[in-house]
Amino acid sequence: MSNPVQTALPLASSGADGARRIVIGNANSAVLDAIQTSQNWPFHTAILTGPRRSGKSLIGRWAAAEGIEVVDGADGLDEDAVFHSWNAVQEGGSRAGRALLLIADATPWDIALPDLKSRLGGSLQLSIDDPDDAMAASLIEAHAEARALSLAEGAADYLVPRTRRSFASLEALVAAIDRISLERQAPATMSVWRAALEALQGPEQQKLL
């Protein structure tokens, strides 16, 4: 398997959540490949789900820049409105090359409206998985870069086996390292890494998970 990479997306940065790059790895490569072939989606529609902080909205913004209609947080909207979006794409999708990406926070998305449930059941189902070790290391490096945080050499090798393997946990870990480093006015070396792990996971963090 090739190592994860960071790919620039055509997006403007805004605030702490205005990520300019997305790490591509085991968890999301199939999703990104599918978005680039939206002309092949059944019923011109795909549904994207995934864990918290996994970059669903960022991927949605990239898809929108590629000309795909995107409904983010679709599972929190009125289902009749979502059904209307689906119908609109069916009416013009094949002629205009339009496609619809519905992003849902809930996994699975529990749809109450029978007509919408049956229609979306035949759409392409896309899911972001949890990152593997290689992608986790790249995410740590990417979050540190976004914070202008300089991690000492060997940080990812030390941190990855000791932290929970999720997008949200990896982001929280780098934020804790940054905070503790600033509080101590010390570089982000192993003593800071250990303190961050303990702050998030308790003293048992010294054991490999």
Side-chain angles (χ1 to χ4, degrees):
M1 178 184 298
S2 59
N3 291 329
V5 297
Q6 292 188 52
T7 293
L9 301 182
L11 304 170
S13 175
S14 57
D17 195 39
R20 290 178 289 266
R21 296 181 181 273
I22 184 167
V23 174
I24 301 173
N26 73 295
N28 60 11
S29 59
V31 170
L32 295 168
D33 287 344
I35 287 176
Q36 295 181 76
T37 57
S38 59
Q39 68 275 10
N40 298 329
W41 293 356
F43 301 104
H44 317 289
T45 304
I47 300 171
L48 174 61
T49 58
R52 187 170 65 89
R53 307 301 297 167
S54 59
K56 297 188 298 294
S57 294
L58 179 59
I59 291 173
R61 280 178 272 167
W62 173 52
E66 295 294 303
I68 296 171
E69 181 179 347
V70 177
V71 179
D72 199 354
D75 54 327
L77 301 178
D78 179 80
E79 292 186 353
D80 286 323
V82 178
F83 194 19
H84 175 75
S85 295
W86 186 89
N87 279 328
V89 168
Q90 305 318 304
E91 293 169 1
S94 60
R95 296 190 302 275
R98 296 288 293 175
L100 172 66
L101 177 65
L102 301 173
I103 301 176
D105 294 322
T107 307
W109 178 6
D110 185 17
I111 302 172
L113 187 65
D115 285 344
L116 180 62
K117 186 172 185 176
S118 64
R119 303 302 195 279
L120 295 187
S123 302
L124 180 63
Q125 307 296 315
L126 301 174
S127 178
I128 300 175
D129 300 319
D130 288 327
D132 61 10
D133 285 0
M135 188 174 185
S138 293
L139 286 164
I140 288 172
E141 294 169 0
H143 286 306
E145 180 183 347
R147 290 175 169 273
L149 171 65
S150 178
L151 294 173
E153 185 176 354
D157 289 340
Y158 180 85
L159 294 168
V160 168
R162 292 170 170 83
T163 191
R164 297 181 179 91
R165 203 72 74 258
S166 76
F167 288 93
S169 294
L170 292 164
E171 184 177 6
L173 174 60
V174 175
I177 291 172
D178 193 19
R179 173 180 57 79
I180 293 170
S181 177
L182 289 171
E183 289 173 350
R184 295 183 177 183
Q185 296 186 338
T189 55
M190 188 175 292
S191 63
V192 173
W193 309 340
R194 287 173 173 165
L197 287 165
E198 184 167 345
L200 294 175
Q201 300 173 182
E204 69 277 9
Q205 59 83 19
Q206 296 297 337
K207 300 178 181 178
L208 299 186
L209 297 180

